[in-house]
Amino acid sequence: MKNITQYLSEVFFSLQYGMLDEFVIERTKLFIADYYAACFAGYKINKEFNRINLEYVKEMGGSEQASVLFDDMKFPAENAAYINSLYAHGADMDDGNRISAGHIGASVLSAVFALGEKLHVTWKEILLAVNVGYEAFNRIAGAAQPGLYKKGFHATGTAGGIAAGAACAKLLKLSEAGIYNTISLAALQASGLLIIDESGQACKPINAANAARIGVRCAVLAEKGVEAPKNPLESSKGWFHAFTDNINEKVILDNIGKKFTICESYLKIYPTCRHTHSCIDAALIIRDKLKGTMETWTQVQRIEVFTYFSAIQSTGKIRYPKTAEEAKFSIYYAIAAALVNGRFSLADLDVEKADPAVWYLADRITLIEDSSMEDRESGIRGAKVMVIMEDERVVQEIVQIPRGEGSNLLTWTELEEKLQSCGEELISLETCTQMIERCKNLAADDAFESICRLIGNFENSK
C-alpha cells in the first residue's frame, strides 16, 4: 500500500458529507452538545490557570476572527481555539476513545469552531470536518497504542494537533496535497507528556489546547503553500517511530471511510480521569447493595480494587488529594467519595469539604493490577471493587465498560442533566434546554454559529 500519510490524505480528501449516515450525524450532534458541557465545567474548575492563559492571549492581540467562550472579545482563530480547548479539557469531562486512549473533541471541536467562525461556513461543513478530525485522531493514536502511553506520551496532545489540522484542512477545502502538508506540519509539532498525571494537573489542558492551536495554524500555512516533510508519520524519524515501538495498521485501515470512530467514542459522566470511571460505577452499585445493612462506614474493614495497569499508573499515585486537580487523578478518592456521597460530581472535587468518612475509606483501599480488566479488542476497560466488612461479609461488583461508552452511551436526557450540572451558576435551566434542543435540531445548510451565541449571551441567563 501507499504510505500511511498519503493514504489518509486521500481518504480525508475524498470524504463527503453524503457519506455520513444519519446515525453518524446524530452522534456528532450529541458530541457537540457534550463539548459545551465540558467547557462549562472546565471554566469553573480550572479558574486560575484559565485566567492566566486568557490574560496572555489578550496581551498578544491580533485580528478579531473567532469568539472565546465567557468573553465578549474575539481573537485570531488559533488563539480562540487554544482558549476554548483549555476550557473543554479543564475538568476532564470531555469525550474520548478507548482505542486511541485520548480526548478528541477538546482540540478538534475547538479548532473547527474557531476556524469555521472565521470562514463563515455551514453546519454541513462543520459536521464533515469534525468527523475527519475524529478519524485522524482515533486511527493514528489508536495505531500507536499502547506503546504511546507506555512511553509517557499523552495522545490528546501528540495526536490532537494532527487531528485538528486534518479537520481544519477539510474545512478549508484543501487539496489532497494540502491535507498531506497539514498533517506533516502538525506531526512536526506534536507534543504532550503524561507527567501531568503525577503533579501539576491543572496544566493538563495545555496539551489539548496546543493541539487545537497547532491544527488551525498548520491548515492555514498549508493553504498558503507551505510544503512540509515527506513521510511524516511513517519515516524512521517520523511520528510513529518517535512515539511508539509498534504500529497496528489494522486500526488505521479497518473500514476507513465507511465506519466512523466517533460512533465508538465515549462521553463522560464524572469529572475525573476516565481510568476511574468503572471504579466509580462499581462503587455506586455497591453503595445501593449496602443500603439498610450497615450503620456507619467504620464497619468497612478494607476495600480491594482489581483494575488494569494503565488505571493504576495514571490514577493510583494520589491517595489524599489536596486540590480539585489532584482529585481528578485519585482512584482512592473517587471510590471513597462515590461510596459516601452516592455520586461523583463537580461538587465532590472540593476536597476541603469532603466528609471525614471519605478519608477513612480512602485509607482502606488497596489497588491490585488485574490484566483481565482490560481487553482493547473487546472494549473492556473495567474494575472489580470488593468491600470487605468487619464481619467478613464481602460485597463486590464488576464493571467492564463504564457509563457513557458502547451501549451505555449517554442519552439526550442524561446529557441535558450533565449540561445543567456543568453549567450551574453560569446558565439557567431554560438555557440548558435551549442549547440541547439547538444541538439536536442542527440543520446542515444553516450558517454555522456558536450554540451559545445563537441563544444569546448565556452569562446573562444566570
Side-chain angles (χ1 to χ4, degrees), residues 46-61 68 71 75 79-87 202-207 209-210 213:
N46 231 16
K47 282 187 177 179
E48 182 61 13
F49 184 74
N50 294 336
R51 182 191 65 77
I52 292 170
N53 276 273
L54 183 59
E55 283 186 1
Y56 177 69
V57 167
K58 285 182 176 180
E59 289 171 3
M60 295 172 67
V68 168
D71 199 290
F75 301 92
N79 288 346
Y82 176 89
I83 293 296
N84 287 333
S85 187
L86 289 180
Y87 299 154
C203 297
K204 185 171 184 266
I206 208 166
N207 288 341
N210 271 333
R213 175 183 57 79

Side-chain angles (χ1 to χ4, degrees), residues 75-150:
F75 301 92
E78 67 175 68
N79 288 346
Y82 176 89
I83 293 296
N84 287 333
S85 187
L86 289 180
Y87 299 154
H89 197 46
D92 268 284
M93 291 201 77
D94 46 323
D95 65 62
N97 183 280
R98 60 177 172 78
I99 300 297
S100 59
H103 301 272
I104 311 98
S107 54
V108 168
L109 289 170
S110 296
V112 168
F113 286 178
L115 186 59
E117 185 176 349
K118 174 189 173 184
L119 297 175
H120 305 291
V121 298
T122 64
W123 274 104
K124 179 186 294 185
E125 294 166 285
I126 292 288
L127 293 168
L128 177 59
V130 165
N131 275 280
V132 167
Y134 274 74
E135 290 300 284
F137 188 103
N138 290 328
R139 292 180 182 277
I140 291 172
Q145 296 291 12
L148 187 148
Y149 175 87
K150 290 180 178 179

Side-chain angles (χ1 to χ4, degrees), residues 306-308 370-375 380-384 398-399:
F306 298 80
T307 191
Y308 53 98
D370 184 344
S371 60
S372 71
M373 288 295 114
E374 182 175 39
D375 186 332
I380 295 173
R381 191 161 56 162
K384 177 171 74 172
I398 297 174
V399 173

Side-chain angles (χ1 to χ4, degrees), residues 273-301:
C273 178
R274 186 64 171 177
H275 294 307
T276 69
H277 283 217
S278 288
C279 297
I280 295 173
D281 284 343
L284 292 173
I285 295 170
I286 289 172
R287 188 180 194 272
D288 285 340
K289 289 181 178 180
L290 287 170
K291 278 183 179 178
T293 66
M294 57 176 282
E295 296 178 0
T296 172
W297 289 109
T298 59
Q299 292 174 259
V300 173
Q301 181 186 125

